[in-house]
Amino acid sequence: MSANPSPIQPIEFKGRMILVSILKLQPAEPAVLQEALEARMQEAPDLMRDMPVVVDMDAMAGTSAQDLLSVLETVRQHGLKLIGLLHSEASAPLADRTGLPLIVLGPRAGSEVPLRPAPPPAAESTPETPAEPAPAAPAPHTPSLVVNQPVRSGQQVYARGGDLIITGAVSAGAEVLADGHIHVYGPLRGKALAGVRGLESARIFCRRLDAELVSIAGHYRIAEDILDSERGDNRLITLSGETIKISEI
Amino acid sequence: MSRIVVITSGKGGVGKTTTSAAIATGLAQEGHKTAVVDFDVGLRNLDLIMGCERRVVYDFVNVINGDANLRQALIKDKRTENLYILPASQTRDKDALTQEGVQAVLDELSKEFDYIICDSPAGIERGALMAAYFADEAIVVTNPEVSSVRDSDRMLGILSSKTRRAEQGEDPLPAHLLITRYSADRVEKGEMLSVEDVQEILSIGMLGVIPESQAVLNASNAGMPVVLDKESDAGQAYRDAVARFLGEERPHRFITTQKKGIFGRLFRG
Ligand SMILES: Nc1ncnc2c1ncn2[C@@H]1O[C@H](COP(=O)(O)OP(=O)(O)OP(=O)(O)O)[C@@H](O)[C@H]1O
Ligand SMILES: [Mg+2]
């Protein structure tokens, strides 16, 4: 213990990003919803355990509060961490009963343009897509997601559970995310978020760095904080303590 | 075999309708039977640029609704052989274009025409998606400025994910870049992006560069596709673009500033 400790702030607000999945419910019989949820959880129970989720009930006006509550309960039972409800007609009356906050999202350019499904079916960025038949046995490791087309403005790609490899450019206005590392073999002009579920050793590699934002395990730097001298060809982005480091490869 | 080509951009006012008229006319002049379809329901501009606005009886929406058949609605161009126009409706609302309706009309056109040119409305909403959905090929019109390029990039993403071809898992549709309203002088002054800048960002094949030109305004006031103005820079640039579209290789013109002669240099002091 140092004799002369610098005053420690008892609290501190930090700007960190966390990845939250949005679980969108579509009108269906409660039993069908429960079944779909269970089937989905079976696919990757480890990945989904403790996954923070916000539930979107926008399409559920007309479903009884009781049914909605029981769906939420199923979500909880499977180990997903419910952290809120998107504000909607159906969710508003549930806020008090569930103790969950109502969350209002600003209009977002992104997710309405799902990428054409890239080869490996592990790619799965929109929770509302109907569950594909579950693979027979869990793969020994999660394969990387390889994207062979440019990721353009308004598009978003997420490699869940693994690395993301993009052979072309990531445009300004595009967003690429991975639980592991991100490799971009073209210019990176959009946002890249590696280690989005907390992997601090995740890295971003890019042929050219001209990004709007880079993030590792929730720590991030926006374009304004990236020096001109740090931009350029063949860059490696790492997390060192709480600092995002940019170096030449 | 018939090809459906969408002329699209994202951003408004960049020259889609001008381009649709020019490309359709150019293809027809080359002997291909061509229909140009106005998807901009509510605005109806194409017929003005083609100079046939006074001959519109029925429109695209009439055909979809079954008020008229395609033959009644198609307007035969007076100047150019092989060229037909399907005008948009000025009065109806945008939801009148249903996917099934559009498909039925395009299917019928496909039986008869070599090329079907779809003039897309601006934006990335329903109307623009409808114009692009059934396309086999796209021409993305961009002005050399950041917001237009960004929108085109966005549109390219949509073309690769929201078209029939994409949904059926076929190869993404080929997309060509057409830069319009290009001013080499302004590029030199740093006020506009250069051809290289735009191509670097969008990284798709270049169909042509159309210069900013008074001839375009003159032609549209006269109700005549600018490609018919053979003396004009824009008209020639569009002819080159049509030739490239048909597979010919041609050098790009009009992308450097006019070389100043010795007098120009002397007098600039
Ligand atoms: N090469 C050019 N040089 C000069 N003016 C041009 C050129 N191309 C287009 N314009 C002008 O720009 C304006 C918009 O053109 P046009 O209507 O073709 O664009 P658009 O993309 O179809 O627009 P909208 O999105 O509203 O449908 C018109 O006034 C047209 O005359
Ligand atoms: Mg137009």
Side-chain angles (χ1 to χ4, degrees):
Chain A
M1 273 264 130
S2 150
N4 187 14
S6 57
I8 291 172
Q9 300 290 344
I11 64 161
E12 189 183 353
F13 281 105
K14 288 193 169 184
R16 284 202 48 186
M17 308 178 88
I18 54 168
L19 183 79
V20 175
S21 296
I22 294 183
L23 174 64
K24 183 168 175 68
L25 303 180
Q26 302 285 6
E29 290 299 313
V32 175
L33 276 171
Q34 307 269 7
E35 237 168 67
L37 252 173
E38 266 154 37
R40 197 47 175 271
M41 307 294 293
Q42 293 306 317
E43 281 175 35
D46 291 337
L47 286 180
M48 299 218 183
R49 188 161 309 127
D50 295 331
M51 184 167 88
V53 284
V54 167
V55 179
D56 176 359
M57 307 183 163
D58 195 36
M60 303 300 282
T63 310
S64 78
Q66 207 45 53
D67 286 346
L68 290 173
L69 287 172
S70 76
V71 172
L72 293 181
E73 192 46 40
T74 313
V75 172
R76 275 210 177 95
Q77 277 167 7
H78 283 88
L80 292 174
K81 292 284 176 275
L82 272 182
I83 61 170
L85 305 174
L86 281 193
H87 193 283
S88 70
E89 198 185 317
S91 67
L94 299 180
D96 280 346
R97 294 174 66 178
T98 56
L100 291 169
L102 292 175
I103 296 174
V104 178
L105 289 186
R108 231 196 75 94
S111 41
E112 91 234 26
V113 189
L115 262 194
R116 207 158 69 96
E124 179 263 299
S125 59
T126 41
E128 68 260 31
T129 48
E132 291 119 32
H141 77 113
T142 314
S144 306
L145 172 58
V146 181
V147 176
N148 276 317
Q149 64 191 95
V151 185
R152 300 204 178 260
S153 180
Q155 292 184 313
Q156 190 191 49
V157 191
Y158 174 31
R160 165 168 305 212
D163 296 349
L164 177 59
I165 298 165
I166 294 161
T167 57
V170 176
S171 294
E175 207 170 279
V176 296
L177 308 93
D179 287 348
H181 309 298
I182 297 177
H183 308 248
V184 183
Y185 293 100
L188 169 56
R189 302 193 177 100
K191 301 190 170 101
L193 299 88
V196 287
R197 296 203 304 153
L199 183 68
E200 298 191 341
S201 60
R203 296 169 172 212
I204 301 168
F205 307 79
C206 60
R207 180 78 145 271
R208 187 158 90 239
L209 178 67
D210 196 8
E212 295 170 321
L213 175 145
V214 288
S215 162
I216 290 172
H219 299 273
Y220 63 91
R221 278 167 75 177
I222 55 175
E224 217 177 57
D225 307 332
I226 303 177
L227 305 175
D228 280 349
S229 60
E230 290 175 313
R231 297 170 182 271
D233 290 345
N234 302 320
R235 296 298 187 221
L236 166 66
I237 296 135
T238 53
L239 182 65
S240 159
E242 303 216 322
T243 319
I244 297 277
K245 286 243 159 78
I246 300 174
S247 53
E248 219 168 307
I249 298 173
Chain B
M1 232 211 21
S2 167
R3 304 266 312 152
I4 301 174
V5 183
V6 62
I7 314 291
T8 187
S9 68
K11 194 172 160 70
V14 297
K16 292 179 292 298
T17 300
T18 304
T19 298
S20 299
I23 300 275
T25 304
L27 287 169
Q29 283 184 316
E30 293 297 317
H32 301 286
K33 199 164 178 201
T34 303
V36 55
V37 182
D38 192 346
F39 276 78
D40 207 344
V41 173
L43 288 173
R44 218 184 87 179
N45 263 326
L46 180 67
D47 50 348
L48 291 174
I49 292 189
M50 297 295 297
C52 65
E53 75 280 5
R54 296 169 61 185
R55 293 194 286 138
V56 173
V57 185
Y58 296 110
D59 57 52
F60 195 179
V61 174
N62 289 137
V63 179
I64 285 180
N65 291 346
D67 308 332
N69 64 36
L70 193 53
R71 210 161 288 281
Q72 292 171 300
L74 278 174
I75 301 173
K76 186 174 181 349
D77 193 84
K78 277 196 171 151
R79 297 187 202 88
T80 312
E81 271 296 292
N82 302 318
L83 182 58
Y84 290 78
I85 300 112
L86 182 57
S89 159
Q90 217 159 13
T91 50
R92 332 244 165 182
D93 76 306
K94 294 194 188 303
D95 293 337
L97 293 185
T98 59
Q99 185 155 315
E100 301 71 45
V102 170
Q103 177 162 25
V105 171
L106 292 179
D107 280 350
E108 202 177 334
L109 286 171
S110 296
K111 287 183 204 143
E112 209 175 315
F113 288 92
D114 302 324
Y115 287 100
I116 300 157
I117 306 297
C118 303
D119 179 18
S120 172
I124 52 171
E125 313 298 329
R126 210 182 121 81
L129 295 182
M130 202 63 84
Y133 187 76
F134 296 102
D136 300 307
E137 213 160 329
I139 296 176
V140 177
V141 180
T142 303
N143 290 164
E145 39 135 325
V146 172
S147 67
S148 173
V149 173
R150 176 79 68 97
D151 281 5
S152 293
D153 189 59
R154 186 110 194 248
M155 183 48 78
L156 283 165
I158 290 171
L159 292 173
S160 71
S161 60
K162 293 243 167 140
T163 51
R164 177 169 64 173
R165 286 171 68 114
E167 286 178 4
Q168 293 180 349
E170 293 170 34
D171 286 343
L173 66 172
H176 314 274
L177 177 61
L178 187 77
I179 301 179
T180 59
R181 312 202 67 164
Y182 191 78
S183 158
D185 283 335
R186 296 191 56 193
V187 171
E188 211 160 76
K189 288 188 204 137
E191 296 169 0
M192 273 186 172
L193 298 173
S194 69
V195 171
E196 293 76 30
D197 292 338
V198 177
Q199 211 174 3
E200 222 259 323
I201 296 173
L202 296 178
S203 58
I204 55 171
M206 173 80 81
L207 192 62
V209 180
I210 314 297
E212 171 77 22
S213 168
Q214 181 63 36
V216 172
L217 303 177
N218 297 346
S220 96
N221 287 335
M224 180 186 91
V226 69
V227 72
L228 294 178
D229 182 354
K230 294 192 176 125
E231 305 302 314
S232 69
D233 48 359
Q236 292 176 29
Y238 272 119
R239 295 181 82 82
D240 286 351
V242 169
R244 285 187 206 104
F245 185 79
L246 292 171
E248 205 179 302
E249 282 197 26
R250 289 202 180 177
H252 289 279
R253 301 189 269 174
F254 316 110
I255 56 180
T256 47
T257 42
Q258 294 294 316
K259 293 276 175 297
K260 298 273 191 294
I262 178 115
F263 291 107
R265 252 180 266 145
L266 281 178
F267 287 116
R268 263 202 311 188

